[in-house]
Amino acid sequence: MVRFRRLRRDGRIRSLVRETRLHPGDFVYPLFVIEGEGIENPVESMPGVFQYSIDRLPGILEQVKEAGIGGILLFGIPAHKDPQGSQAYAQDGITQRAVGFIREKYPEIYVIADVCLCEYTSHGHCGMVCGEEILNDETLPLLAKMAVSLAEAGADMIAPSDMMDGRVGAIRKALDEAGYIQTPIMAYSAKFASAYYGPFRDAAHSAPGFGDRKSYQMDPANGKEALREIRADQEEGADLVMVKPALAYLDVLKEAVLRYDMPMAVYNVSGEYAMVKAAAANGWIDERRIVMENLTAMKRAGAKIIISYHALDAAGWCREEENPVS
Ligand code: PBG
Ligand code: ZN
C-alpha cells in the first residue's frame, strides 16, 4: 500500500517534505500616503491599515524594514482633484514627495509606485473622460508623464494599474527617453473588474463618480483573455506581470505561470483582506492560519511576488514557522 501518512507523522518530516515556504521577502506591502501633517487615519473597512501623512511614514517604514519585507507599493491621495488628474504627474505631488522622502530616509526599502489617475481625477476614473466615455489614447501620455515623474522622484519600479490598452508600451518608451532604462515595469496585466476593490476605494478615495470600471478592467469570467493581456504587456516591455485579485483568480495565475517565463505577481486585494479581518474579529476563523494558508496558496500557484495588506503580520509568522516542528 502507498502510505502517504509516513511523511505526515510529525512536524520534522512534514517540514522536510514541504514544497512551498513563505518568506518575508516574498511580500510587498501597500501604503497609502495622504496630504497633510500628523495624520494617521485608520481605514474603517481595513482594520490595521492607515493613511499616513509623509511625516508619519517613519513608524511604518521602520516596521517594514524590521520585518524584512521585499518592498512597498505606494498610493498617493492628493488634496486637490481635477478632470486631468494633474496632481498625479506634478513634481511636487503627494506621491512624488513621498517617494523622495522614502528614497532619502530609507534607501534600503524597495519602492514601487502605482501609476493610475483614479486617485487624482475629480470623476474617479482611471483615465481621461469625455461624457460617459473613458478615453484610452488620450490617457496614455498622462500615464507616461506620471511614470517618468515618479522615476525622477526616485521610485525603484513603476506599476501601472489603469488598464488602458497600450500603456505599458507608452510608459516604457517615455521612461527610456527620459533615461530611466533600468526602471522595471510591473504591469497589472490581468486586472479584473472586481467587487473586491471596495475597501481600497475608501482607503484611496478613488471610487468612480459615475458608472463603473467595466469598460477597461477585465470581465471576471474571462481566463483566456487574461492570457492575451499578459502576452500583450510582455510584448510591450513589461518586466513583471500581475494577476489581481488573488484568491478567486489563482487559476489564471497558474495558467500564466505555466505558459510564460516571466516572474508573476499577485495582488491579495482589499476586499480579500477585509473579509478575513471581519471573520477573525468575530472569532469565526483563526486569522493567522487562514492568512498563511491563503498566502501559501498564492505562492504554490506560482506567484513570485505577493502584494498583501497582511504582509507585516505574515512576515512575523513566517519567521516563527521557520521552526521546523510546526
Ligand atoms: C487603482 C487601483 C485599485 C486597486 C489598486 N489600484 C482600485 C481600482 O481599480 O478600483 C485595488 C487594490 C485593492 O483593492 O487592494 N487603479
Ligand atoms: Zn485607477
Side-chain angles (χ1 to χ4, degrees):
M1 202 190 331
V2 181
R3 292 192 183 274
F4 291 104
R5 294 182 54 186
R6 287 186 196 118
L7 302 184
R8 292 176 199 157
R9 275 169 65 83
D10 65 35
R12 296 167 305 164
I13 183 61
R14 285 195 295 271
S15 175
L16 276 169
V17 299
R18 187 160 297 138
E19 297 174 33
T20 308
R21 274 199 168 80
L22 292 166
H23 184 272
D26 297 330
F27 303 128
V28 167
Y29 186 59
L31 267 182
F32 300 101
V33 189
I34 192 163
E35 245 355 308
E37 256 177 60
I39 300 174
E40 200 167 327
N41 272 342
V43 178
E44 209 181 319
S45 49
M46 302 175 72
V49 173
F50 298 81
Q51 301 165 327
Y52 301 92
S53 53
I54 291 177
D55 61 310
R56 290 297 190 94
L57 284 174
I60 188 75
L61 293 172
E62 288 294 340
Q63 288 180 56
V64 164
K65 213 170 97 175
E66 179 65 23
I69 286 171
I72 58 171
L73 176 60
L74 270 191
F75 296 95
I77 308 159
H80 302 290
K81 304 185 187 226
D82 57 36
Q84 301 78 31
S86 49
Q87 283 301 303
Y89 38 88
Q91 210 50 57
D92 63 349
I94 177 67
T95 319
Q96 286 77 5
R97 279 186 287 122
V99 168
F101 175 86
I102 301 166
R103 185 71 310 133
E104 191 189 331
K105 298 274 187 341
Y106 295 87
E108 62 277 67
I109 294 181
Y110 197 82
V111 179
I112 308 173
D114 189 88
V115 165
C116 193
L117 299 184
C118 57
E119 297 110 270
Y120 306 88
T121 50
S122 39
H123 44 73
H125 277 289
C126 304
M128 292 284 284
V129 160
C130 179
E132 298 276 288
E133 189 169 355
I134 318 307
L135 303 172
N136 193 89
D137 298 18
E138 291 79 353
T139 302
L140 301 182
L142 303 185
L143 296 168
K145 216 161 130 180
M146 182 179 184
V148 170
S149 76
L150 290 164
E152 209 169 304
D156 290 297
M157 183 187 278
I158 297 298
S161 67
D162 52 281
M163 288 301 278
M164 298 300 127
D165 290 322
R167 91 271 208 212
V168 172
I171 290 172
R172 183 70 272 160
K173 185 162 176 283
L175 286 174
D176 289 352
E177 283 170 5
Y180 300 105
I181 57 171
Q182 294 290 2
T183 304
I185 297 175
M186 174 166 67
Y188 288 68
S189 302
K191 178 174 177 179
F192 291 88
S194 171
Y196 283 105
Y197 307 150
F200 173 93
R201 293 177 188 172
D202 298 335
H205 300 167
S206 67
F210 66 89
D212 53 41
R213 303 210 201 288
K214 291 180 187 166
S215 75
Y216 43 108
Q217 299 181 349
M218 288 189 58
D219 185 332
N222 296 357
K224 284 187 194 299
E225 190 187 346
L227 299 174
R228 293 180 63 211
E229 281 274 9
I230 289 168
R231 193 176 67 216
D233 284 354
Q234 191 173 359
E235 285 167 4
E236 285 179 38
D239 301 280
L240 303 110
V241 292
M242 191 198 300
V243 173
K244 173 187 176 191
L247 290 173
Y249 300 88
L250 290 186
D251 59 324
V252 173
L253 173 68
K254 178 78 188 196
E255 269 192 72
V257 164
L258 292 175
R259 193 167 306 203
Y260 302 116
D261 294 334
M262 65 197 321
M264 304 272 168
V266 76
Y267 199 144
N268 176 214
V269 299
S270 57
E272 299 176 296
Y273 176 83
M275 292 195 304
V276 169
K277 295 300 272 192
N282 276 291
W284 296 337
I285 56 168
D286 177 334
E287 179 175 354
R288 172 177 170 162
R289 291 192 56 207
I290 291 272
V291 167
M292 294 307 271
E293 190 172 330
N294 283 349
L295 298 174
T296 299
M298 294 169 207
K299 188 161 180 179
R300 192 191 63 228
K304 298 306 292 180
I305 296 178
I306 300 172
I307 304 163
S308 179
Y309 304 97
H310 296 291
L312 284 171
D313 292 333
W317 295 330
C318 291
R319 277 201 298 262
E320 287 173 35
E321 283 173 19
E322 268 165 30
N323 170 5
V325 203
S326 63

